[in-house]
Amino acid sequence: MPSYWFGDIEDGRCTPFTGDPPAIAGRVRSIHTDMDAFVPPDWEVAVKCGACKDRGEYLSRLREVCFAAAERGIRDQYAGKDAELLQMVRTLDGMDEAINLLSGRVAEWHQILHPAFSRKYRRTPAHVLVKGISRNGRGALGKVAAQIEELAAARTELAKEVSARANRVMPNTSALIGGLVAARLMSRAGGILPLSRLPASAIQVLGARTALFAHLRTQSPSPKHGIIFQHRRVHNASRQLRGRVARVLAGKLAIAARIDYFRGVAAPEFLESAQASIDAAGKGAGATSAGGSEP
Amino acid sequence: MIWIGDVLVSRGEGGVYNERMLGGARVWDPYRSKLAALYYTGTGREITQEMRVLYLGAANGTTVSHVADCAEVVYAVEFAPRPMQDLLEVARRRRNVVPIMADAACPEQYAPLVEAVDLLYQDVAQPDQAAIVLRNCAFLKTGGDLILMLKTRSVDVRKEPGEVFRDTADALEAGGLEITESVWLAPYHQDHAAIVCRKIRTGGSA
C-alpha cells in the first residue's frame, strides 16, 4: 500500500491528503517508502484520487509542496548552528582589515597636510590618531576618519556578539580558549563539524598555513601555533614552553570541539580536567601530553 | 538540441546567470555546464518537449534552467542549503521545475514526489556515483536514458581517471544499464567523463 505526496493508496482505494502545502510537506517527511517494491507516483492516479483536476494542477500543487519543504529544510539547516556565526566571524575579520588599512592611509594623508607632524617619539595608537583627525580634519579627510571611528564602534559591538554567540554554540571550545578565538578556529575550519573532524595537530597550526608549508618544503622549523597563539595562555607562556602549551591546548580543543558537535552542551568534568592539564603544561612541570581524560 | 551556427542555445526566459543571448535564445556555455560540454564533445541525448527529467545534483540551477527550457518537467534534487536558495529562485520563474531538497544518495526521501521519468541526469561529485545512480534507477522508465557526469577526481584522487571510469562503467552494466556512449569532456572540463546509458531491464538493485 504505497503512500505518495497526494495521498495513501490502500487496496486500490485512494485517500487524498488534505491541508495546506506546509502540512502536506510535513506528512511527506513521515512517509517511509520501501524502495524494493517502489512504483513511482502517477498523476492520473492523483486525478482519480481527487487530489487535482489535471496534469497542470498536479504539477502546480506538487511544486507548492516542494517549495514549502525546501524552505523549511533551508531554515532547519541554518537554524541554531554555526552558519550565522561563521558569517559573523568572517565579517569581523574583514572589518579589522578595513579599519587597519584605512587608519594607515588616513595617517599618511594627515602627515602630508601637516609638515610639522611626525609620529616619531610618540606612542600614539592608530585609533587615537584617527580620533584627532576626525575632530580637526576638514573636508573628506575628516569625514573618512569619522567613518573609521564608526566602523570601529560597530566592530566592537560585533566582537561582543561573536563572543556571546560562540559561548552558546560551542560552549566547551569557548570555555577553553575564549569565544572569539574559538569562533576564529571554527571559521578557519569551515564549521563546527569540520573542526570536530580535525586532529589536534591540525588545530594547533590552524591559521599558520604559510609557516607550515614553508616547513614542509624547506628546512625551516615547524610552526608551534596558529590562531591559538591569540589566547593568553599561549602568548603569555615563556618561549621555551609555548610549544608545549600549544600542543596540550590543541589536544584538549580537539576533544572539546567533538563534544560541542555531538553533545552541544558544556561538560564541566571534562573542562575541569582539561584546564588543569593545560595549566600544568604552562607551569613547566612534567606536564602530561594531550589525550587523557576522555569524557 | 538547438544550434545557431556552432553555438548551442536553448529557448526560454534569459537573465538566469547573465548568460549571453543569441537571436532571442540563451547561449548554453560548455565551460559552465557539463551537459552542454557533452553536446559539444559527443552526441548525448536529445531532450524533447514531452520528456520528464530527474536531475540529481541541481546545485545553483544553472544547467537546470536550460534543461527546463527543453523538457516538460524537471525534478531537481539538491542537498545543500546555500545553492538550494538559488535553485528555488530559478524554480519560481520556471514553472516546470520541481525543486526537491534531499540527498540524492537517499531516494526514499523523495520517492513519494517523483514520477517515472524518461531521463535521469546525475552530476553529484560523490565517491559512490555509480551506487547513487543504481538506487535512483527506480524512477527511470525501462528504455529510458541515463546521463552520468563522472568527476573522476571526486571518486578517488589517487586512482587514474581511466581506471575510475572503467570501474564505474562495470558497475552500471551490472545494474541493468547498457552504455551507449562515453566521452571525456576535455577541453571544457578536466578529468570529467560523461556516460550515456539506456535502461534495458529492471531490478538492477544497488
Side-chain angles (χ1 to χ4, degrees):
Chain A
M1 52 216 81
S3 287
Y4 299 123
W5 69 271
F6 53 81
D8 291 321
I9 295 171
E10 206 159 344
D11 305 329
R13 287 165 49 91
C14 174
T15 331
F17 288 159
T18 49
D20 57 349
I24 296 179
R27 196 128 42 165
V28 169
R29 279 160 75 105
S30 67
I31 297 176
H32 294 288
T33 307
D34 174 16
M35 289 308 285
D36 290 332
F38 173 64
V39 181
D42 186 339
W43 68 276
E44 283 166 322
V45 173
V47 172
K48 270 191 216 123
C49 188
C52 56
K53 295 195 305 291
D54 54 13
R55 177 147 181 85
E57 197 189 341
Y58 174 85
L59 284 180
S60 71
R61 295 216 41 193
L62 172 60
R63 273 167 47 89
E64 283 171 18
V65 171
C66 287
F67 271 98
E71 275 156 20
R72 180 175 164 186
I74 293 171
R75 233 193 326 274
D76 287 354
Q77 286 272 312
Y78 287 154
K81 286 201 241 149
D82 45 1
E84 195 188 353
L85 181 58
L86 198 70
Q87 296 305 328
M88 287 162 75
V89 182
R90 291 183 181 169
T91 307
L92 183 70
D93 289 345
M95 283 172 107
D96 278 341
E97 217 169 285
I99 291 168
N100 283 337
L101 189 74
L102 288 175
S103 306
R105 181 63 58 209
V106 163
E108 290 291 312
W109 186 356
H110 179 75
Q111 200 155 5
I112 301 267
L113 291 178
H114 299 85
F117 176 82
S118 165
R119 287 177 79 180
K120 274 276 170 290
Y121 301 107
R122 296 194 219 180
R123 296 228 172 80
T124 326
H127 68 268
V128 176
L129 191 62
V130 169
K131 188 176 265 175
I133 297 171
S134 79
R135 215 180 304 119
N136 306 321
R138 279 182 299 274
L141 176 58
K143 285 214 177 84
V144 172
Q147 286 297 318
I148 297 171
E149 282 199 280
E150 266 189 46
L151 201 56
R155 187 236 169 247
T156 314
E157 190 86 351
L158 178 59
K160 271 187 211 140
E161 268 182 45
V162 167
S163 189
R165 177 69 64 101
N167 285 335
R168 213 163 61 233
V169 179
M170 33 203 305
N172 294 292
T173 320
S174 302
L176 288 186
I177 200 171
L180 210 54
V181 187
R184 288 215 168 95
L185 283 174
M186 190 276 288
S187 149
R188 193 58 69 103
I192 296 179
L193 170 63
L195 181 65
S196 71
R197 282 182 177 160
L198 286 183
S201 53
I203 292 178
Q204 188 181 344
V205 293
L206 211 56
R209 188 190 296 168
T210 319
L212 180 63
F213 282 100
H215 161 66
L216 293 175
R217 240 191 346 266
T218 66
Q219 298 290 308
S220 62
S222 62
K224 295 188 289 296
H225 32 58
I227 294 172
I228 61 171
F229 180 75
Q230 292 172 15
H231 189 57
R232 59 180 166 72
R233 274 176 166 146
V234 179
H235 67 237
N236 285 356
S238 69
R239 269 181 181 283
Q240 297 91 323
L241 284 177
R242 263 181 211 166
R244 175 188 287 167
V245 175
R247 172 163 41 78
V248 174
L249 178 59
K252 296 304 175 191
L253 283 173
I255 300 169
R258 282 160 215 190
I259 301 175
D260 283 338
Y261 179 71
F262 289 106
R263 223 184 290 170
V265 289
E269 69 285 10
F270 159 73
L271 288 174
E272 208 171 292
S273 74
Q275 302 278 24
S277 57
I278 298 165
D279 286 342
K283 290 205 182 75
T288 54
S289 63
S293 55
E294 186 95 27
Chain B
M1 299 292 109
I2 310 168
W3 295 83
I4 299 180
D6 55 0
V7 180
L8 180 66
V9 298
S10 72
R11 298 206 184 278
E13 186 199 23
V16 179
Y17 58 101
N18 289 325
E19 66 273 28
R20 274 196 313 125
M21 304 296 285
L22 191 66
R26 306 168 59 220
V27 172
W28 194 348
D29 183 0
Y31 287 97
R32 292 197 58 161
S33 167
K34 277 164 234 155
L35 186 54
L38 169 63
Y39 292 121
Y40 274 86
T41 52
T43 42
R45 192 62 85 214
E46 195 77 14
I47 302 176
T48 51
Q49 279 301 324
E50 73 289 342
M51 271 169 107
R52 296 168 192 171
V53 181
L54 173 56
Y55 191 127
L56 304 175
N60 297 281
T62 310
T63 305
V64 170
S65 68
H66 286 287
V67 175
D69 289 345
C70 307
E72 195 232 349
V73 58
V74 182
Y75 292 90
V77 179
E78 173 57 45
F79 185 53
R82 181 64 192 78
M84 194 68 199
Q85 286 174 301
D86 291 339
L87 180 64
L88 286 181
E89 197 52 43
V90 172
R92 264 180 217 116
R93 303 288 198 100
R94 282 181 153 70
R95 308 199 51 84
N96 61 343
V97 176
V98 181
I100 296 172
M101 186 164 175
D103 187 350
C106 307
E108 55 277 5
Q109 286 179 1
Y110 50 89
L113 305 168
V114 180
E115 33 177 11
V117 295
D118 306 286
L119 176 67
L120 174 60
Y121 177 80
Q122 177 179 309
D123 182 5
V124 293
Q126 290 289 317
D128 53 346
Q129 286 200 336
I132 293 174
V133 162
L134 297 179
R135 258 175 258 158
N136 280 282
C137 264
F139 299 106
L140 188 59
K141 293 174 184 169
T142 306
D145 296 311
L146 159 77
I147 299 178
L148 172 71
M149 293 300 167
L150 184 65
K151 186 175 187 175
T152 57
R153 294 295 180 196
S154 293
V155 176
D156 192 336
V157 281
R158 294 163 303 175
K159 275 192 192 160
E160 276 302 303
E163 196 182 327
V164 172
F165 175 81
R166 278 190 299 281
D167 291 348
T168 310
D170 291 346
L172 293 177
E173 288 188 324
L177 294 157
E178 179 188 49
I179 297 176
T180 55
E181 184 191 6
S182 51
V183 286
W184 291 98
L185 298 181
Y188 305 107
H189 301 270
Q190 284 305 314
D191 294 330
H192 282 71
I195 305 178
V196 185
C197 305
R198 173 151 290 169
K199 184 174 174 182
I200 49 174
R201 63 184 158 87
T202 47
S205 62

